[in-house]
Structure formats: C-alpha cells, structure tokens
Amino acid sequence: MKIINSIDQMRALCRAARTNEQRLGFVPTMGALHAGHLALVRAARAQCPATAVSIFVNPTQFGPNEDFAKYPRTLEGDQKMIEAEGISLLFVPTVEEMYPPGAATFVNVEGLNDKLCGRSRPGHFRGVATVVAKLFHIVEPDVAYFGQKDAAQVAVIRKMVRDLAFPLEIVVIPTVRETDGLAMSSRNAYLNPSERKQALVLYRALCRVQTLADQGERAARQLIEAAKNVFRDEPAVRLDYVEIVNQETLEPVNDVSQGALVAVAAFVGSTRLIDNIVLLGTGHTRIA
Ligand code: AMP
C-alpha cells in the first residue's frame, strides 16, 4: 500500500475507485489507530467495494493550549493496521497540503459549534467541520463513517452535510470500549496506570444514569445530579460537563422520555476524555 500525500493524487485515485467499484466508503481519522477506528474501517469494508481512510492531525480543531503538538503520531503502526484491513487508499496529507498559505475559509455550523465540547473548546467544531468538508471534497465518498464516541461531532457533521447538500450518507458506529468499559481513545495513551483506573469514572457515571433511567427516572436534572455524585467519589478527576441533550440539536432536555444523549467530558490528570450514552425514548436504554 502506498501512502498518498497529495490532494490531486488522492482525488484522482478515489474517482478511479468509484468508477470501477461504484460505492466508495470513507473513514476520516487523526491516526494513533485502535479498535474503535478499526470498527469504522470494517463497517466501511463490509458495506462498500472500495474504502478510503485518512490520517490527519488537524491543527484547526485544537485550541492554542491543547495537545496538537504532543498528539500521538504512530504512522508506521497505523499503516500496517490499515493494510491488514485490505485498504489501499490511505491519505496522509501534510498541514501545508490541507491548509495552503493564506487559507482563510472555514465552515461554521451555527447553533451547534458552541455546544458540549464546542463550549469548552472554542473553535473546535469549526476546525472539525472545515477539515471534514475539505476531505469530503477530495475523496467524494458515497458513505462516510463516524463514531458515536464523538456524538456532538456526529451532530455537527450531519447538519453540515444536510445544510451544504453533500451527496453522501453518514453511518455512525457504536462506541468500542475496553473490557472494563473505558471508551477507546487515542488519548488513553496519555494516561498513567493510576489515571487509567480513575478514567473509569466516566463510564461508571454513564452506567449510573442508565440504571436510573431503566428504573424509570425521567428528569434530566436528577440524572445529571446522580452522574455528578459518581464523579464526587473520584475527586482526582475534574468534571468538565455532564449534559443531557437532544441528539440532533444538542440542546438540553428536561425530560428524557423522548430519548436523549447523555454526554460527559472530564480531565483525568491533564488528559481530557469524553464519553456518552444514548437513552432511548421507549423507556429502554443502552450503552452506545
Ligand atoms: P479520531 O481519530 O479520534 O478523530 O477518530 C476518528 C473516528 O473514529 C471518529 O469518527 C471517532 O468518533 C471514531 N472513534 C474514535 N474512538 C472510537 C471508539 N472508541 N469507538 C468508535 N468510534 C471511535
């Protein structure tokens, strides 16, 4: 497998793949691949005759004091994993290729860009929407795959695709977890052994919310309070937010009878982790 660095070459190869095989799937990532990413790649492989993957640590979605510089970059291992999945289109552009000098055009999904992580990380979703729009223009996929792990990102991308009439389908893959429940994330690599244990509080809080919802609790305020109580038992972890929102609009809901997204973000040491579950409107719930 050859790594493709240039936009023109990637576009030409993707067009050729679409012509020959018709349906092109696309999995955008920032690399440091793990089983969560591979679940997306495998879904794409199962559903599309051709699949493209991108690895790009996108500077515009990181804040000035965030981890862009130290974000794990493990291209050699990633390439092997992608190759083992039978993928031949791997796009790894440089920052200069994606943002030529003077690049000044951004995609802002208004109303969503300041919700959940967008509030804690100003500009984050503008960076995400901009790079994903650009990748969609380069790859021109029929189907693009995203993880439920980043539920707010899914809402932003879905709205962008609808508002800007991108001719593609979005498929969302459930969150892949470690055996003890921790959501897989490239940032888990930052955790030392004691932080790794503390990090489980995100999952425990979500499980508590799920249990209460299963028992019939419908008030978002009560569910949020219960989640916060779980965090109080792990004082080394600093809660950023726990919110219960409409899955599409990301607006807070008071009552979860119609279904809702329960999203948490917290700092474990200096590592910011996120997780979420979806409460179903029927009265049943599941860990997504
Ligand atoms: P990232 O490399 O973190 O930008 O993630 C690339 C894609 O993989 C995004 O659509 C993520 O939502 C998805 N992803 C990351 N972690 C997981 C996971 N644990 N389970 C499912 N999808 C994931």
Side-chain angles (χ1 to χ4, degrees), residues 28-30 34 36-37 40 71 146-147 149-150 153 174-176 184:
T29 81
M30 297 205 299
H34 51 66
H37 297 111
L40 273 60
Y71 195 83
F146 291 87
K149 157 94 183 343
D150 298 275
Q153 171 170 285
T175 301
V176 177
M184 289 197 181

Side-chain angles (χ1 to χ4, degrees), residues 66-123:
E66 293 184 352
D67 57 341
F68 173 70
K70 74 161 187 176
Y71 195 83
R73 289 162 171 87
T74 57
L75 185 57
E76 217 174 288
D78 290 353
Q79 187 184 350
K80 286 198 182 108
M81 286 166 85
I82 293 293
E83 210 157 23
E85 296 299 320
I87 304 292
S88 55
L89 294 167
L90 176 59
F91 184 45
V92 187
T94 60
V95 171
E96 296 69 35
E97 183 73 1
M98 288 298 278
Y99 296 104
T105 305
F106 291 90
V107 178
N108 244 328
V109 181
E110 287 181 17
L112 293 185
N113 57 6
D114 56 352
K115 301 287 190 318
L116 299 181
C117 290
R119 188 168 333 114
S120 319
R121 305 180 67 190

Side-chain angles (χ1 to χ4, degrees), residues 9-40:
Q9 197 188 0
M10 183 65 181
R11 182 177 279 127
L13 289 169
C14 288
R15 282 198 176 156
R18 276 184 96 197
T19 315
N20 294 337
E21 306 190 67
Q22 279 128 41
R23 215 167 136 85
L24 176 62
F26 176 45
V27 181
T29 81
M30 297 205 299
L33 300 182
H34 51 66
H37 297 111
L38 291 187
L40 273 60

Side-chain angles (χ1 to χ4, degrees), residues 102-174:
T105 305
F106 291 90
V107 178
N108 244 328
V109 181
E110 287 181 17
L112 293 185
N113 57 6
D114 56 352
K115 301 287 190 318
L116 299 181
C117 290
R119 188 168 333 114
S120 319
R121 305 180 67 190
H124 172 65
F125 287 130
R126 180 179 91 141
V128 169
T130 301
V131 81
V132 171
K134 186 149 186 174
L135 289 166
F136 283 172
H137 281 308
I138 296 164
V139 175
E140 300 176 315
D142 299 286
V143 195
Y145 294 81
F146 291 87
Q148 175 64 25
K149 157 94 183 343
D150 298 275
Q153 171 170 285
V154 167
V156 167
I157 301 298
R158 276 196 194 286
K159 188 145 199 326
M160 178 189 80
V161 163
R162 203 200 60 168
D163 289 357
L164 297 183
F166 278 93
L168 56 88
E169 183 193 334
I170 299 292
V171 171
V172 180
I173 302 298

Side-chain angles (χ1 to χ4, degrees), residues 53-72:
V53 174
S54 66
I55 295 178
F56 180 61
V57 185
N58 173 36
T60 64
Q61 70 189 69
F62 288 79
N65 299 315
E66 293 184 352
D67 57 341
F68 173 70
K70 74 161 187 176
Y71 195 83

